[in-house]
Amino acid sequence: MTIEPVDESPSTGHATRVAEATVTETVLDSLRSTPDPRLRELLSGLVRHLHAFVRESRLTQEEWERAVAFLTETGQQCTDTRQEFILLSDVLGLSSLVETLGGPGGPTATEPTVLGPFHLTESPRRELGADIDLLGSGDGEPCVVSGRVVAADGTPLPGARLDVWQADTHGYYDVQQPGVQPSGNGRGLFTADAEGRFWFRSCVPSPYPIPVDGPVGSLLAATARHPYRPAHIHFIASADGHAPVTTHLFVAGSPYLASDAVFAVKHSLVRDFTETDDPVRAREFGVPNPFRHATFDLVLAPETSA
Amino acid sequence: MTIEPVDESPSTGHATRVAEATVTETVLDSLRSTPDPRLRELLSGLVRHLHAFVRESRLTQEEWERAVAFLTETGQQCTDTRQEFILLSDVLGLSSLVETLGGPGGPTATEPTVLGPFHLTESPRRELGADIDLLGSGDGEPCVVSGRVVAADGTPLPGARLDVWQADTHGYYDVQQPGVQPSGNGRGLFTADAEGRFWFRSCVPSPYPIPVDGPVGSLLAATARHPYRPAHIHFIASADGHAPVTTHLFVAGSPYLASDAVFAVKHSLVRDFTETDDPVRAREFGVPNPFRHATFDLVLAPETSA
């Protein structure tokens, strides 16, 4: 390899002393030539806060080594079907904070919440009314979810897109159980009708623990925290000219609504899955009567020119 | 899977609203039952600082996704012979800060500096005077490094242990070039003699770039920083009853002493590799005359009962 001096004479020989008092400034100086101003701002802020954390906590060499090992294991746990770094961000409340800062776009817009680690595959396109429970809900409760996608002023958004995903009645996503669940189970990509309406069939979701067999599970155990999430269905709703929203529909009355392991619950997103005894509507939806029915309207803010 | 309510009644149904103003407190609350008080302190401090960073920078969802991808790639770059997370910690100055906070143990003790990402294999035991340059320095300059390991008051520490590692004259460590360099090239585990003295042969190290073919290299490129480190030899010195020190011996006059990519240079660790024309000493050391000679005493602080 050719060694070429870059920013100093080889004969300088005047060492910069790195000391506790000055090392943070030296690192911040090294970032001053970052061409992208936003990247410079983000890295400088990260360095300031991480250095402040190390100073305040007097982090030891041994603790640093354990942190390096933990982060390495977290990265190595990731696969095409598992995202342990999102899970780590989730259990530290960072994902919830980022989503919360990002929206909603206005007082009436649907509140966002975390993406979670299971949005890894493209959901299959399905017709309105389709059943996303491909296993036929053998031991789950059939349900219908319906609603409208509208603008902040209530105007329907025809052709709005809805990406929907949920765990099965036992609390597992399809990507967690290849060979047990068919790919695309619990998932669907729907297009709202001319009046912004959507409806699909599924089984009522269950509460479930996030995966605990990796480093994030060890972290929860070490902090005496439970790994459970309240029952929910994930949604990403989008429409031309509007800001998309990543959110959940939570099942009212579910355990863990008050202690979600990933801090994602917002009261405005909780809905009753109402026991419905209505043979006519059951026939319309194609479900046995009685059935459980949740309604969830998604209100999108106008696109900002960020 | 069995779902058991843990800390709330399933019938509570009263959702905790996670909002921008309260999410950080909610996460800190969730850590309050951590049994190990030091782990609780560290995680609470980390959460406070990371949340403050996200709030200050108004980190967007897209930036969060890029950060997750970067950390995932960093973890996946790690192997038995490569530690990309240590490299990341190094280029952000965190490793240097942690080492600097940890020591030295007193005004006379040798200053510590970063471990670096290449201390991955056990160094082979070698006799005093051995040549750690197993390739015979075909195109490097032969040198001798000698010194003493002593206590803070200057008392020699007989039988002190020295773990030494360095890159070859082309700037690569053995673990970076399996099949090209023999395993253990540039490495040695020495035991000081009855007077605390040590000496070994090697080639004068060269400046070199840290590995730039992974995410940390991309980070350096995006910040317009060069990846070079000034020429150095790594040391870990230890002796019973004393605090070990992880440090470097830097080559005086090397390029990059004032702009080390990992912020590890301390003036007290820089030494001349003096051109020495002394046939008698050359014969004693078993090197051709003239040769280059660096002396480096390592002063260990007493062990603290932390």
Side-chain angles (χ1 to χ4, degrees):
Chain A
M1 111 193 8
T2 313
I3 307 290
E4 285 177 35
V6 172
D7 65 350
E8 56 170 312
S9 151
S11 64
T12 306
H14 187 74
T16 301
R17 186 191 159 96
V18 176
E20 181 181 338
T22 57
V23 61
T24 306
E25 276 309 311
T26 306
V27 178
L28 291 173
D29 274 344
S30 80
L31 299 171
R32 295 240 155 83
S33 304
T34 303
D36 177 342
R38 177 62 174 162
L39 182 63
R40 182 167 68 244
E41 179 187 11
L42 289 176
L43 287 174
S44 301
L46 187 64
V47 163
R48 276 190 291 100
H49 279 289
L50 289 178
H51 279 232
F53 163 65
V54 168
R55 285 169 194 276
E56 272 176 33
S57 64
R58 310 291 298 181
L59 192 75
T60 69
Q61 182 68 15
E62 193 192 3
E63 289 163 349
W64 172 85
E65 284 174 18
R66 288 177 63 185
V68 165
F70 180 87
L71 291 170
T72 303
E73 199 186 340
T74 301
Q76 305 225 318
Q77 190 75 245
C78 296
T79 65
D80 287 349
T81 57
R82 179 159 180 170
Q83 229 311 344
E84 194 81 358
F85 264 114
I86 292 185
L87 207 58
L88 178 59
S89 168
D90 288 355
V91 302
L92 296 178
L94 289 165
S95 313
S96 180
L97 180 60
V98 170
E99 276 291 359
T100 300
L101 287 172
T108 61
T110 297
E111 286 195 286
T113 195
V114 306
L115 177 70
F118 294 115
H119 191 249
L120 295 159
T121 56
E122 198 163 344
S123 298
R125 294 193 171 280
R126 300 195 194 282
E127 296 300 313
L128 288 171
D131 193 348
I132 64 173
D133 175 9
L134 306 183
L135 295 170
S137 246
D139 38 12
E141 282 185 282
C143 72
V144 170
V145 178
S146 66
R148 289 198 314 158
V149 187
V150 299
D153 63 359
T155 312
L157 296 171
R161 295 166 297 281
L162 290 141
D163 190 349
V164 172
W165 68 106
Q166 71 167 73
D168 74 354
T169 194
H170 302 287
Y172 291 107
Y173 290 85
D174 59 348
V175 292
Q176 294 179 281
Q177 296 193 306
V180 177
Q181 294 186 42
S183 167
N185 189 37
R187 297 180 194 265
L189 206 56
F190 296 97
T191 302
D193 72 7
E195 287 154 76
R197 293 177 306 188
F198 70 90
W199 64 99
F200 61 87
R201 288 173 288 157
S202 187
C203 60
V204 179
S206 302
Y208 64 82
I210 61 171
V212 293
D213 58 339
V216 172
S218 306
L219 180 67
L220 289 182
T223 53
R225 281 170 53 181
H226 76 72
Y228 289 94
R229 299 213 58 211
H232 62 275
I233 301 177
H234 294 265
F235 283 78
I236 298 176
S238 54
D240 294 343
H242 290 77
V245 65
T246 299
T247 193
H248 291 12
L249 160 61
F250 289 96
V251 180
S254 172
Y256 315 111
L257 278 173
S259 65
D260 184 0
V262 307
F263 310 101
V265 176
K266 297 180 182 186
H267 187 68
S268 68
L269 304 175
V270 181
R271 292 287 182 284
D272 281 318
F273 278 62
T274 312
E275 186 81 28
T276 306
D277 186 355
D278 183 337
V280 176
R281 297 213 73 196
R283 207 171 308 121
E284 280 173 15
F285 285 130
V287 287
N289 189 58
F291 61 101
R292 291 181 65 185
H293 186 188
T295 57
F296 189 48
D297 288 346
L298 291 131
V299 184
L300 302 190
E303 202 163 41
T304 53
S305 53
Chain B
M1 101 189 20
T2 312
I3 306 290
E4 285 176 35
V6 171
D7 65 350
E8 56 172 317
S9 152
S11 62
T12 306
H14 188 76
T16 300
R17 186 190 159 97
V18 176
E20 182 181 339
T22 57
V23 60
T24 306
E25 275 310 311
T26 305
V27 178
L28 291 172
D29 275 343
S30 80
L31 298 171
R32 295 240 156 85
S33 303
T34 303
D36 177 341
R38 177 62 174 163
L39 183 63
R40 181 167 66 245
E41 180 186 9
L42 289 175
L43 287 174
S44 301
L46 188 64
V47 163
R48 276 190 291 100
H49 279 289
L50 289 179
H51 280 232
F53 163 65
V54 168
R55 286 169 192 277
E56 273 176 33
S57 64
R58 310 291 299 183
L59 193 74
T60 68
Q61 182 69 13
E62 191 191 5
E63 289 162 348
W64 173 85
E65 284 173 17
R66 288 177 64 183
V68 165
F70 181 88
L71 291 170
T72 303
E73 197 185 342
T74 301
Q76 305 226 318
Q77 190 74 245
C78 296
T79 65
D80 287 349
T81 57
R82 179 158 182 173
Q83 228 311 341
E84 195 81 357
F85 265 114
I86 292 186
L87 207 58
L88 179 58
S89 168
D90 289 355
V91 302
L92 296 179
L94 289 166
S95 313
S96 181
L97 179 60
V98 170
E99 276 292 357
T100 301
L101 288 172
T108 62
T110 297
E111 286 195 285
T113 195
V114 306
L115 177 70
F118 294 115
H119 191 249
L120 294 159
T121 56
E122 199 162 346
S123 298
R125 296 194 167 278
R126 302 197 193 280
E127 296 300 313
L128 289 171
D131 194 347
I132 64 173
D133 175 9
L134 306 182
L135 296 170
S137 247
D139 38 11
E141 281 185 282
C143 72
V144 170
V145 178
S146 65
R148 288 198 316 158
V149 186
V150 299
D153 64 0
T155 313
L157 296 171
R161 296 165 296 282
L162 290 140
D163 190 350
V164 173
W165 67 106
Q166 71 168 73
D168 74 354
T169 194
H170 301 287
Y172 291 107
Y173 290 84
D174 59 347
V175 293
Q176 294 178 280
Q177 296 193 306
V180 177
Q181 294 186 42
S183 167
N185 189 37
R187 299 181 193 264
L189 205 57
F190 297 96
T191 303
D193 73 7
E195 287 154 76
R197 293 177 307 190
F198 70 90
W199 62 98
F200 61 87
R201 290 173 288 158
S202 187
C203 60
V204 179
S206 303
Y208 64 82
I210 61 171
V212 293
D213 57 339
V216 172
S218 306
L219 179 66
L220 290 181
T223 54
R225 281 170 54 180
H226 75 73
Y228 289 95
R229 299 213 57 209
H232 63 275
I233 302 177
H234 294 264
F235 283 79
I236 298 176
S238 55
D240 295 342
H242 289 76
V245 66
T246 299
T247 193
H248 290 12
L249 159 60
F250 289 96
V251 180
S254 172
Y256 315 112
L257 278 172
S259 64
D260 184 359
V262 306
F263 311 101
V265 176
K266 298 179 182 187
H267 187 68
S268 69
L269 304 176
V270 181
R271 292 287 182 285
D272 281 319
F273 278 62
T274 312
E275 185 80 30
T276 306
D277 186 354
D278 184 335
V280 176
R281 298 214 72 196
R283 207 171 308 120
E284 282 173 13
F285 285 129
V287 287
N289 190 58
F291 61 101
R292 290 181 65 184
H293 187 187
T295 57
F296 189 47
D297 289 347
L298 290 131
V299 184
L300 302 190
E303 201 162 40
T304 53
S305 51

